């Protein structure tokens, strides 16, 4: 129960900071503190009556909540799909890499440092160019490079774009953490007992690294949400950030961000609870 | 002295870019050459702008024939210096926030505050930065008189952008540095100093700072990387460092212009050519990549230096290979964990 209380408080504070931030442009435009607080109050009231909130769609007022669900879930699919695929790939490759000799691992780590420093915009550009190139050379259209409108859904390209960098981050992090874990006593004991290296790696080491990876994934996700905005605009995807960017009002921003925050919050709370429950290590944290 | 190849490579890339950019502006007045048509010996035109990257134009030219490499060189000093400044400010501010967190708060309150601050993990930085910076950086227009204006002057715009990009990360970074400090305070030698009657000030100056300062340099490198990434994002959304010049001419609009050719402006201006003429668009983004890689090399090299340096005055016993590996692994682990959680 203690953890539930803590999480609820954290959620409320996140909402509060989102609302406080969303008033800031008002402060900057008018250089007037009371206008800022007026705006914050207005946004706050708007958030309380979210079901009555409206937005302009081609000059017509439409209820916000009615229209937002489909793009919202579409965005979530892309985001979580990318996160999930990146995690799985990275985990499998880590197992493979850890079976390799040390000097190859070193080379891989150096390559990963290099890949880590690719700006995300460059990755998106390369994916876009790659698809066009494949199409020109072979005539096979891997996927549409851009979505044509609200009804048109593309999945492969945005998910690929979004997953590439998180995959590199996870991969490098996992290699470092697993290598550290491999130096511990229990691994030596189990290897001495005659267990297979792969078995120890998959069943014992992975469980112990997973907690660190979970904490790391928070910051990866943080940066993926920013990337989602870029991807959706580059590929003309009609997701939640479409509403955010094309109707850049404080109310809209606050509403969209709050909607985006909720699922993450729930998932992280669930994981945290599981870890608290099943591992004694978390007591130290 | 730092004996590490990676660190110096990164350092010289950054230093070289800034220095050559300044030399370019002092001695050549940042003159970017413009070649619209290439002729052969018989004065017959053989090629017209935009040129592909070649020996003559390392990064190609834009459709008007301006040399992209020249523009990149001209803009390097603005981008890199502002990145370095924002990085330093971020670390200093967060450090100032961290001191009371680590020294004067009881453990319980610090943990609670940490939880509160971690709510910032759910607020994506780029989106907020775009949102707050739009009114500052975009040129506005008064509707009846059709007069273009910025709300703030040039210096104010740059100042505000630097302040906002700094303040947005202070909560997270501050709590991170606070945790680093608190874990240093738990070390055995601090307890020893306490027993011997050292004051808080002395502990801070003599024991915590020497421990923390090298780590802060690594944090600084990471922050520089982050600022560079935000600059590419802002550039894509046409928010350029120091202001975006927007043409409000209703009939034939010029695309938004960067006022100083700094790199995010180049990214924003050229990204539209990605399908038709990728070479133009990729040039500035690749430069960002090089800068990011340089900062990462610096961080990694410095990290390596910390692990292998010899402490002054003591002759260290030769470590076994195994011990060294263990040290390396634990050092890396700590550093990445700090970045993550």
């Amino acid at each position: 129960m203690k953890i539930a209380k803590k999480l609820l408080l954290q959620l409320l504070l996140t909402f509060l900071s989102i609302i406080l931030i969303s008033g800031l442009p008002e402060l900057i435009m008018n250089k007037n503190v009371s206008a800022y607080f007026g705006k914050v109050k207005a946004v706050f009231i708007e958030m309380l009556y979210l079901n009555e909130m409206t937005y302009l769609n081609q000059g017509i007022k439409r209820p916000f909540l009615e229209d937002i669900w489909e793009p919202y879930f579409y965005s979530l699919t892309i985001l979580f799909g990318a996160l999930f695929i990146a995690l799985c790939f990275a985990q499998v490759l880590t197992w493979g890499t850890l079976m390799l000799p040390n000097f190859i691992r070193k080379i891989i780590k150096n390559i990963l440092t290099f890949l880590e420093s690719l700006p995300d915009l460059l990755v998106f550009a390369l994916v876009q160019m790659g698809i066009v190139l494949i199409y020109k050379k072979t005539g096979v259209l891997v996927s549409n490079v851009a979505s044509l409108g609200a009804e048109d859904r593309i999945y492969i390209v945005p998910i690929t774009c979004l997953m590439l960098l998180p995959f590199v981050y996870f991969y490098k992090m996992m290699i470092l953490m697993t290598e550290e874990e491999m130096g511990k006593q229990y691994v030596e004991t189990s290897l001495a007992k005659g267990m297979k290296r792969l078995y120890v790696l998959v069943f014992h080491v992975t469980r112990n690294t997973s907690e660190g990876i979970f904490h790391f994934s928070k910051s990866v996700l943080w940066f993926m949400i920013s990337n989602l905005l870029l991807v959706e605009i580059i590929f003309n995807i009609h997701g939640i950030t479409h509403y955010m960017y094309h109707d850049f009002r404080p109310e809209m921003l606050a509403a969209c961000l709050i909607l985006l925050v909720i699922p993450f919050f729930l998932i992280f709370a669930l994981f945290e609870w599981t870890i608290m429950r099943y591992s004694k290590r978390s007591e130290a944290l | 002295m730092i004996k590490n190849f990676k660190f110096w490579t990164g350092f010289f890339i950054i230093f070289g870019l800034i220095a050559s950019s300044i030399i370019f502006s002092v001695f050549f007045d940042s003159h970017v050459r413009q070649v619209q048509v290439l002729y052969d010996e018989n004065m017959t035109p053989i090629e017209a702008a935009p040129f592909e990257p070649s020996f003559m134009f390392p990064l190609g030219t834009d459709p008007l024939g301006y040399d992209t490499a020249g523009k990149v060189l001209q803009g390097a000093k603005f981008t890199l210096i502002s990145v370095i400044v924002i990085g330093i400010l971020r670390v200093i501010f967060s450090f100032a926030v961290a001191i009371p967190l680590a020294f004067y708060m009881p453990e319980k309150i610090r943990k609670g505050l940490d939880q509160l601050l971690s709510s910032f993990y759910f607020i994506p930085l780029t989106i907020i930065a775009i949102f707050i910076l739009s009114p500052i950086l975009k040129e506005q227009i008064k509707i009846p008189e059709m007069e273009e204006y910025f709300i703030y002057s040039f210096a104010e715009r740059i100042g505000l952008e630097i302040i906002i990009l700094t303040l947005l990360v202070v909560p997270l970074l501050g709590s991170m540095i606070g945790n680093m400090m608190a874990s240093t305070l738990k070390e055995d030698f601090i307890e020893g100093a306490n027993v011997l009657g050292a004051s808080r000030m002395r502990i801070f100056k003599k024991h915590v700072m020497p421990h923390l300062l090298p780590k802060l340099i690594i944090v600084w490198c990471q922050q520089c990387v982050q600022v560079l990434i935000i600059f590419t994002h802002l550039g894509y959304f046409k928010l350029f460092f120091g202001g975006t010049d927007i043409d409000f001419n209703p009939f034939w609009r010029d695309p938004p212009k960067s006022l100083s050719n700094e790199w995010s402006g180049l990214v924003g201006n050229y990204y539209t050519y990605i399908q038709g003429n990728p070479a133009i668009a990729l040039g500035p983004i690749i430069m960002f990549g090089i800068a990011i890689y340089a900062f990462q090399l610096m961080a990694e090299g410095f990290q390596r230096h910390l692990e292998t340096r010899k402490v002054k005055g003591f002759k260290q016993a030769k470590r076994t290979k195994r011990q060294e590996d263990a040290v390396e692994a634990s050092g890396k682990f700590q550093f990445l964990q700090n970045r993550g959680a």
Side-chain angles (χ1 to χ4, degrees), chain B residues 151-273:
Chain B
I151 299 179
Y152 293 95
S153 71
F154 184 66
E156 277 175 325
R157 286 198 301 271
I158 288 184
L160 273 172
E161 181 165 5
I162 288 175
I163 290 170
I164 286 169
L165 286 181
T166 303
L167 288 185
L168 280 179
V169 294
V170 164
L172 272 182
L173 202 60
S175 85
M176 193 187 103
I177 295 178
N179 285 344
M180 268 154 79
M181 248 190 235
S183 70
T184 317
L185 281 177
K186 276 194 206 124
E187 303 256 8
D188 288 342
F189 58 83
I190 300 278
E191 211 165 295
N194 264 327
V195 170
L196 289 174
S199 66
R200 265 196 181 142
M201 201 59 205
R202 186 176 166 82
I203 287 183
F204 178 70
K205 269 206 292 215
K206 290 278 171 186
H207 299 290
V208 176
M209 277 314 280
H211 243 76
L212 215 58
L213 217 55
K215 282 187 189 163
L216 287 185
I217 292 181
I218 296 171
V219 171
W220 171 74
C221 289
Q222 291 169 347
Q223 289 307 314
C224 287
V225 169
Q226 213 192 41
V227 177
L228 278 169
I229 289 177
I230 287 201
F231 272 177
T232 56
H233 290 179
L234 289 178
Y236 181 76
F237 287 103
K238 305 267 186 312
L239 296 172
F240 306 148
F241 188 72
T244 311
D245 184 16
I246 295 175
D247 190 7
F248 285 102
N249 188 341
F251 301 109
W252 191 259
R253 281 182 193 201
D254 280 345
K257 261 188 291 225
S258 158
L259 295 173
S260 58
N261 275 341
E262 45 73 42
W263 292 355
S264 56
L266 295 181
V267 169
N269 285 342
Y270 293 158
Y271 196 84
T272 36
Y273 299 117

Side-chain angles (χ1 to χ4, degrees), chain A residues 6 10 13-14 17-18 21-22 24-25 28-29 31 110 113-114 116-117 119-122 125 128-129 132 172-173 176-177 180 188 215-216 219 222 225-227 229-230 233-234 244-245 248 250 253 257 261 264-265 268, chain B residues 6 115-116 118-128 130-132 134-136 151-152 164 172 226 229 232-233 236-237 267 271 274-275 278 282 285-286 288-289 292-293 296 300 322 329-330 332-333 336 339-341:
Chain A
K6 194 187 84 188
Q10 209 180 341
L13 273 158
T14 315
S17 38
I18 287 175
I21 286 176
S22 65
L24 277 180
I28 290 165
M29 300 264 269
K31 307 177 193 174
N110 277 336
T113 312
F114 172 71
E116 248 183 346
S117 51
D120 30 22
L121 215 55
L122 181 61
Q128 248 177 327
M129 279 162 57
V132 173
K172 189 171 180 202
M173 184 72 184
L176 290 177
M177 286 180 73
E180 202 236 344
E188 236 163 89
H215 284 289
F216 180 66
S219 50
W222 184 48
I225 299 180
S226 293
N227 272 1
L229 176 70
L230 276 169
I233 294 200
I234 288 176
M244 224 188 277
Y245 189 66
F248 233 17
L253 182 91
L257 276 183
V261 161
F264 293 124
F265 215 85
F268 279 110
Chain B
K6 276 186 180 172
Q115 284 292 336
L116 298 192
S118 72
S119 65
F120 269 81
Y121 264 124
F122 298 98
I123 303 178
L125 198 54
T126 304
I127 295 176
I128 297 294
I130 292 169
F131 182 66
I132 297 178
S134 296
I136 300 177
I151 299 179
Y152 293 95
I164 286 169
L172 272 182
Q226 213 192 41
I229 289 177
T232 56
H233 290 179
Y236 181 76
F237 287 103
V267 169
Y271 196 84
I274 194 77
Q275 302 285 8
L282 287 185
I285 308 182
I286 287 173
F288 266 109
I292 292 173
Y293 188 54
Q296 274 192 349
E300 213 163 272
R322 198 174 175 82
S330 66
K332 282 251 169 69
F333 173 61
L336 277 164
R339 180 160 101 178

Side-chain angles (χ1 to χ4, degrees), chain B residues 288-341:
Chain B
F288 266 109
I290 290 173
I292 292 173
Y293 188 54
F295 277 115
Q296 274 192 349
L297 279 182
M298 271 166 81
E300 213 163 272
F302 197 77
Q303 174 94 9
R304 188 82 206 161
H305 162 73
L306 286 186
E307 287 153 7
T308 53
R309 72 177 160 175
K310 298 265 192 305
V311 181
K312 237 187 282 167
F314 290 94
K315 242 194 182 162
Q316 264 184 331
K318 213 178 169 195
R319 288 173 169 160
T320 56
K321 173 88 180 64
R322 198 174 175 82
Q323 268 176 324
E324 247 171 31
D325 278 352
V327 167
E328 184 189 335
S330 66
K332 282 251 169 69
F333 173 61
Q334 196 180 14
F335 151 51
L336 277 164
Q337 196 193 29
N338 282 335
R339 180 160 101 178

Side-chain angles (χ1 to χ4, degrees), chain A residues 48-243:
Chain A
L48 283 182
Y49 302 101
L50 196 58
N51 54 344
E52 286 165 25
M53 197 176 136
T54 54
Y55 74 103
L56 285 179
N57 185 358
Q58 289 156 354
I60 310 158
K61 267 195 178 174
R62 301 261 309 148
F64 172 72
L65 273 188
E66 220 169 88
D67 286 7
I68 199 71
W69 293 120
E70 267 186 58
Y72 175 53
F73 285 116
Y74 179 37
S75 291
L76 284 186
T77 322
I78 292 176
L79 207 54
F80 277 106
L83 185 69
F84 184 70
I85 293 172
L87 257 176
C88 291
F89 266 19
Q91 187 64 70
V92 171
L93 275 178
T94 308
W95 289 333
T97 317
L98 261 282
M99 305 304 288
L100 295 173
N102 209 355
F103 75 98
I104 299 184
R105 286 214 299 264
K106 248 187 197 146
I107 296 172
I108 291 181
K109 275 189 271 181
N110 277 336
I111 295 173
L112 284 179
T113 312
F114 172 71
L115 288 179
E116 248 183 346
S117 51
L118 293 181
D120 30 22
L121 215 55
L122 181 61
V123 174
F124 304 153
L126 289 179
V127 170
Q128 248 177 327
M129 279 162 57
I131 290 166
V132 173
L133 199 72
I134 291 173
Y135 181 65
K136 270 188 189 161
K137 285 265 164 0
T138 63
V140 180
L141 190 58
V142 184
S143 163
N144 275 330
V145 237
S147 160
L148 292 176
E151 297 311 311
D152 193 24
R153 293 275 157 94
I154 56 172
Y155 287 96
I156 300 173
V157 176
I159 288 181
T160 325
C161 280
L162 267 183
M163 66 151 275
L164 282 173
L165 277 178
F167 161 69
V168 174
Y169 294 153
F170 277 130
Y171 189 26
K172 189 171 180 202
M173 184 72 184
M174 277 174 180
I175 288 184
L176 290 177
M177 286 180 73
T178 316
E179 275 184 344
E180 202 236 344
E181 196 74 18
M182 287 301 268
K184 286 195 176 158
Q185 297 261 308
Y186 72 93
V187 177
E188 236 163 89
T189 318
S190 32
L191 284 177
K193 272 171 81 182
M195 291 184 188
K196 284 261 157 50
R197 198 178 152 85
L198 189 65
Y199 176 82
V200 176
L201 201 61
V202 173
F203 289 98
H204 295 281
V205 174
T206 305
R207 197 173 58 192
N208 288 335
T209 52
S210 61
E211 193 192 323
I213 294 294
F214 162 70
H215 284 289
F216 180 66
S217 66
K218 255 191 204 174
S219 50
V220 173
L221 216 107
W222 184 48
F223 125 109
M224 275 174 85
I225 299 180
S226 293
N227 272 1
L228 182 75
L229 176 70
L230 276 169
V231 167
E232 291 198 351
I233 294 200
I234 288 176
F235 295 108
N236 191 24
I237 289 170
H238 197 81
I240 189 163
T241 54
H242 175 88
Y243 290 84

